[in-house]
Amino acid sequence: MNTDEGHTDALWDKLVSANLVIPYARIFQDSQEAIIITDRHSRIMIVNPAFVSITGYNESEVIGQKPSVLKSGYQDSAFYVNMWASIHRDGKWQGEIWNRRKNGEIYPEWLSIHSVKDENGILLHYVGMFSDITHRKHTISKLRLHAQVFSNSSEGIMITDKQLKILSVNQAFTTMTGYTEEEAAGHTPRLLHSGLQNQYFYIKMWETIHTTGLWEGEIWNKRKNGELYPEWLSITTLRNETGAITNYIGMFTDITERKQSEEHLKYLAHFDKLTGLPNRTLLSELVNEATTKIVQTNRMLAIFFIDLDRFKMVNDSLGHNIGDKLLQQVADRLSSVVRKNDIVSRLGGDEFIIVLQDLEEQEEAKHIAMHLISSINKPFWVEDNELYINASIGICMYPTHGGDFDTLLKHADLAMYQAKLQKGGYQFFNESILSTFLRKLDLENELRWAIVRNQLTLHYQPQVNALTGVLEGMEALLRWNHPSLGAVPPAEFIPIAEETGVIMEIDKWVLKEVCAQLNRWHTASLVVPAIAVNLSARQFLAPDLATNIRDIVIETYCDPQQIVIEITESSSMHDMESVLHILSEIKSFGFQIAIDDFGKGYSALGYMKLFPIDILKIDKSFVQELTSDSKSLVITKAIIDMSHGMKLRVIAEGVETIEQMECLQTMKCDLVQGYVIDRPMPCEQLEARYLTEVCSK
């Protein structure tokens, strides 16, 4: 409202002297909508105070200019062509437009333009009226000037007099509240009161309205049928030219769906959708609350990190639907085991977290862990499927093993990993687990650079004829010498290489290095037997494995007959049909094939007769027990006889004593490999000790 009476009178005089016929002269003076009047050439003649307030331009700055001074550049030329076509055709236009204030800020406004003509139809002026709709502050002038908007608005609109008696409502009001205009007229907005807000709420609301002329916020009201609902309400005060309140305008939107969505999102943000258990976000909050409370006592918390063993097999074989239902049953079973004030949470996948509160001693956590494992080991029934799974549980204690949620969870996870390595059960966290993890992490990071930094080398272990002692083969064995970590045992870094996938590149490097060494020895006119190269099980996932091996050997000008591709029995059993195809392809290129660690796992003898193998290596666990375990002796003899019957050569690895050697000679084993013959050695040492001797004969 403009309270400057001198300015108002001057403005009125300008309107009168300009001979303008404007039916809403009072609105022009008091309106919160900007009003701009131009001559017929679109040059600005006069603007109202709301124009100055909204645009930032003083009247003196725009008189004589065109409204294009406000152009934002957001609308293209076609927009304005259509606008003026409508004005020339219909004498008016209205719509949303983006304009620019004096300070450069671009804002949306609702604009209506009318052409003003004399009694002869001669164009005299254009009148533009607009309101800043950035914050949805609609005024009574807009309601009067845009009756169609009032009628069709999706927001409920209610107009009252200064005593708050309802004068008018729109159709959206009726749709949302259930009250028609006839039913609402004459009542105050108390007609809609839900009773959920107290008196103090309304006192503060009206205090704001009387101070600022505006209030907006969330409020709960009641429909005609008694249903309570939330709405977003804005109340605007309308004053006359003297500043006296004449009306109140209430505009509201039913936000029931939005509130429901917010509650749903809040639920999803804190609870696991599948099981209904707290998720990691809520778990963090609950653990922080629990640790805060326990600080003042001598009690402890236990964090259980639970991973389900064999769940992936169920999920992959029976489908995700069965897997999901199994997880729901697991969640119920876990919840039934723990105490009422304990927390059961699902991190995701088949990982669950349990927080045991108010423990007197660590032993209590141990008993509950045993109970949980026993419960999980019992059969589950899911859609007529009897399913068995196990659980690996890592346990850490607060405050002994960590002081915050992330640390506790990490330590429990490490303990769980250790439990899984031990084939299930539970494992309490300790510092050695952390040290092992940190070393594994260091090895994993450094191993990725081992080839580039020339840290890998090959040693060769002789394979000699069991009767004559003549060198008839050798095995290339990988060694890693790190500048700060020292010599890292293969038993430590090979599993890491396989787990991370680095083994794929390492295997290629080994084969290339072996071929290069063969060339160096051949160049020196040395007689070299075939060299065995280990191939990891992971390599069999590559569809072009055989071709890649052949290409490496051919590119280095080596004879495939000089290379023995050695695979473990367990890797050959992974996918027998696929492995058989790959081995046949490798064999067709001229390579020899050996099965390593035979007898260590389960031996599918029916498939062994199909595999195109040349050599079978007896696992060292049998060799080491030849003189102490009669069963190992019988099994070893059976393997040798079976291999000879299949025209295969047999290598006994891990031979460490003369007694073992003699026993193998008696059983007519072809080749032996082990410390009783020689340890793995650098190529220079093997050359001097074996190749030179062979060549000199």
Side-chain angles (χ1 to χ4, degrees):
M1 183 190 72
N2 177 22
T3 57
D4 188 340
E5 294 185 1
H7 181 73
T8 301
D9 292 339
L11 188 60
W12 180 255
D13 290 341
K14 288 181 182 179
L15 293 174
V16 173
S17 64
N19 240 357
L20 299 176
V21 181
I22 301 180
Y24 301 107
R26 185 175 297 275
I27 294 173
F28 181 88
Q29 299 171 38
D30 299 336
S31 175
Q32 293 184 24
E33 283 196 299
I35 301 178
I36 177 173
I37 301 173
T38 75
D39 62 16
R40 63 181 179 176
H41 301 295
S42 296
R43 290 189 293 265
I44 298 173
M45 299 174 61
I46 191 170
V47 296
N48 73 340
F51 176 94
V52 176
S53 174
I54 294 174
T55 68
Y57 287 101
N58 292 327
E59 186 177 53
S60 60
E61 293 177 300
V62 296
I63 296 300
Q65 295 201 55
K66 293 189 175 184
S68 59
V69 69
L70 303 177
K71 270 189 179 180
S72 65
Y74 268 38
Q75 290 79 215
D76 57 19
S77 58
F79 176 89
Y80 292 101
V81 169
N82 292 332
M83 171 196 288
W84 285 105
S86 175
I87 294 169
H88 293 323
R89 182 181 67 250
D90 305 325
K92 61 182 179 179
W93 178 89
Q94 66 175 2
E96 185 178 307
I97 189 171
W98 287 79
N99 273 340
R100 187 188 303 270
R101 307 188 207 277
K102 181 180 177 181
N103 64 7
E105 178 187 353
I106 296 175
Y107 68 99
E109 65 182 30
W110 184 265
L111 170 65
S112 64
I113 302 175
H114 293 263
S115 58
V116 180
K117 300 179 181 180
D118 63 14
E119 60 275 10
N120 297 318
I122 303 300
L123 177 66
L124 299 176
H125 308 281
Y126 294 107
V127 178
M129 307 180 73
F130 62 86
S131 59
D132 185 338
I133 60 172
T134 305
H135 302 293
R136 300 163 52 210
K137 296 179 180 178
H138 300 283
T139 64
I140 191 62
S141 296
K142 181 176 179 180
L143 294 176
R144 290 176 177 171
L145 292 173
H146 303 286
Q148 187 175 1
V149 175
F150 174 83
S151 301
N152 299 322
S153 174
S154 60
E155 291 184 294
I157 302 176
M158 171 175 54
I159 304 173
T160 76
D161 61 18
K162 63 182 180 180
Q163 284 81 33
L164 296 180
K165 299 290 186 182
I166 297 173
L167 301 176
S168 180
V169 299
N170 69 346
Q171 181 57 44
F173 174 97
T174 300
T175 301
M176 282 185 246
T177 69
Y179 290 103
T180 64
E181 186 171 56
E182 291 76 14
E183 291 172 323
H187 291 277
T188 69
R190 289 186 60 84
L191 176 71
L192 306 176
H193 278 198
S194 65
L196 295 183
Q197 289 81 215
N198 58 28
Q199 187 177 4
Y200 180 74
F201 174 88
Y202 292 103
I203 290 174
K204 296 297 291 182
M205 171 198 287
W206 285 105
E207 181 181 302
T208 301
I209 294 171
H210 291 146
T211 302
T212 66
L214 175 69
W215 179 90
E216 63 179 352
E218 184 180 309
I219 190 171
W220 283 80
N221 274 338
K222 183 189 294 186
R223 308 188 204 276
K224 181 181 178 181
N225 63 8
E227 177 188 352
L228 302 183
Y229 70 100
E231 66 181 31
W232 185 263
L233 171 65
S234 64
I235 301 174
T236 304
T237 302
L238 184 66
R239 300 175 184 269
N240 62 18
E241 64 275 10
T242 66
I245 295 175
T246 58
N247 303 92
Y248 295 102
I249 305 169
M251 304 179 67
F252 61 91
T253 303
D254 186 338
I255 58 172
T256 301
E257 290 186 6
R258 192 182 84 187
K259 293 287 287 185
Q260 290 172 344
S261 296
E262 288 174 355
E263 290 300 317
H264 182 61
L265 289 174
K266 184 177 179 181
Y267 176 84
L268 292 179
H270 290 88
F271 290 90
D272 174 51
K273 185 177 179 181
L274 178 66
T275 63
L277 297 175
N279 62 11
R280 184 186 181 115
T281 301
L282 180 55
L283 176 65
S284 174
E285 297 174 7
L286 294 174
V287 170
N288 289 335
E289 289 177 8
T291 54
T292 301
K293 291 177 184 177
I294 212 167
V295 165
Q296 298 152 18
T297 70
N298 291 322
R299 303 278 180 154
M300 296 183 292
L301 292 178
I303 310 295
F304 284 19
F305 197 116
I306 304 173
D307 183 87
L308 303 180
D309 304 324
R310 300 182 70 251
F311 172 77
K312 186 177 185 301
M313 185 185 72
V314 173
N315 217 30
D316 292 346
S317 59
L318 299 179
H320 292 287
N321 182 51
I322 298 296
D324 286 349
K325 290 181 179 180
L326 176 58
L327 289 174
Q328 290 170 336
Q329 290 191 27
V330 169
D332 292 340
R333 197 170 290 186
L334 294 176
S335 299
S336 69
V337 170
V338 300
R339 301 163 305 172
K340 185 176 182 181
N341 66 330
D342 294 330
I343 303 165
V344 181
S345 169
R346 179 178 177 233
L347 283 190
D350 60 348
E351 295 178 339
F352 292 83
I353 302 294
I354 290 179
V355 181
L356 303 180
Q357 304 194 66
D358 197 30
L359 299 178
E360 291 186 7
E361 55 183 2
Q362 185 171 303
E363 194 70 14
E364 294 179 69
K366 173 182 174 181
H367 290 313
I368 294 177
M370 293 171 64
H371 193 180
L372 285 168
I373 292 170
S374 175
S375 178
I376 294 298
N377 286 345
K378 294 177 182 177
F380 291 86
W381 284 94
V382 183
E383 293 187 3
D384 297 329
N385 295 291
E386 185 178 9
L387 305 176
Y388 290 87
I389 58 175
N390 302 314
S392 297
I393 304 178
I395 309 172
C396 74
M397 307 298 297
Y398 173 86
T400 307
H401 299 145
D404 61 83
F405 172 75
D406 289 333
T407 302
L408 291 168
L409 200 63
K410 180 182 74 174
H411 288 172
D413 188 9
L414 292 177
M416 181 278 295
Y417 182 76
Q418 188 65 29
K420 191 172 283 289
L421 291 178
Q422 297 168 1
K423 307 302 181 185
Y426 66 88
Q427 172 68 53
F428 281 91
F429 174 79
N430 57 62
E431 289 302 322
S432 66
I433 290 177
L434 181 59
S435 299
T436 301
F437 170 76
L438 293 177
R439 174 163 174 86
K440 180 176 180 289
L441 191 61
D442 283 344
L443 293 177
E444 180 179 323
N445 292 335
E446 293 298 317
L447 188 57
R448 296 181 185 277
W449 298 96
I451 294 177
V452 176
R453 294 171 178 169
N454 296 317
Q455 295 171 359
L456 299 181
T457 58
L458 290 180
H459 281 199
Y460 296 87
Q461 187 170 32
Q463 297 169 338
V464 302
N465 187 293
L467 295 177
T468 67
V470 174
L471 180 72
E472 294 188 11
M474 64 180 85
E475 181 178 4
L477 297 168
L478 187 64
R479 296 294 182 263
W480 180 21
N481 293 295
H482 190 275
S484 59
L485 298 174
V488 185
E492 187 176 13
F493 75 81
I494 293 295
I496 295 175
E498 291 177 339
E499 182 181 331
T500 59
V502 177
I503 195 68
M504 305 287 278
E505 289 303 313
I506 290 178
D507 279 355
K508 290 181 182 178
W509 179 88
V510 169
L511 183 56
K512 289 179 181 178
E513 190 65 22
V514 165
C515 290
Q517 184 58 54
L518 272 171
N519 281 329
R520 287 192 286 269
W521 279 331
H522 286 155
T523 301
S525 299
L526 299 175
V527 177
V528 186
I531 301 177
V533 177
N534 289 285
L535 200 64
S536 70
R538 189 156 186 156
Q539 292 283 8
F540 284 92
L541 299 176
D544 53 354
L545 172 62
T547 304
N548 287 339
I549 293 174
R550 179 199 61 185
D551 291 346
I552 290 173
V553 174
I554 290 177
E555 287 169 7
T556 52
Y557 304 103
C558 284
D559 181 0
Q561 277 292 329
Q562 290 261 215
I563 304 294
V564 178
I565 300 299
E566 195 169 286
I567 64 173
T568 61
E569 181 188 7
S570 58
S571 66
S572 68
M573 299 300 148
H574 173 67
D575 180 355
M576 292 186 183
E577 294 296 335
S578 175
V579 170
L580 177 60
H581 172 74
I582 294 173
L583 292 180
S584 298
E585 194 174 4
I586 291 174
K587 181 69 175 176
S588 70
F589 293 146
F591 294 96
Q592 298 184 67
I593 298 174
I595 297 292
D596 192 14
D597 298 336
F598 187 81
K600 183 177 181 180
Y602 48 87
S603 302
L605 299 179
Y607 275 88
M608 294 304 295
K609 67 180 182 180
L610 300 177
F611 284 177
I613 59 178
D614 304 281
I615 301 168
L616 193 148
K617 296 184 72 174
I618 303 173
D619 185 66
K620 61 184 178 182
S621 62
F622 292 104
V623 174
Q624 291 169 353
E625 295 177 349
L626 279 178
T627 58
S628 60
D629 185 351
S630 59
K631 292 182 180 178
S632 292
L633 181 67
V634 171
I635 292 174
T636 302
K637 180 69 166 63
I639 292 173
I640 294 172
D641 290 344
M642 175 195 72
S643 299
H644 288 164
M646 297 173 66
K647 309 299 183 187
L648 304 178
R649 300 182 78 199
V650 181
I651 299 176
E653 58 180 341
V655 184
E656 298 180 352
T657 68
I658 296 297
E659 291 78 12
Q660 293 168 356
M661 182 75 168
E662 291 173 347
C663 191
L664 290 166
Q665 289 172 335
T666 302
M667 290 187 286
K668 294 184 172 51
C669 182
D670 299 299
L671 303 176
V672 292
Q673 173 184 348
Y675 288 177
V676 73
I677 305 300
D678 236 327
R679 293 174 177 270
M681 63 192 76
C683 58
E684 298 84 3
Q685 187 176 343
L686 183 132
E687 177 182 331
R689 191 174 295 181
Y690 290 92
L691 300 189
T692 302
E693 180 183 349
V694 171
C695 294
S696 65
K697 290 183 178 180

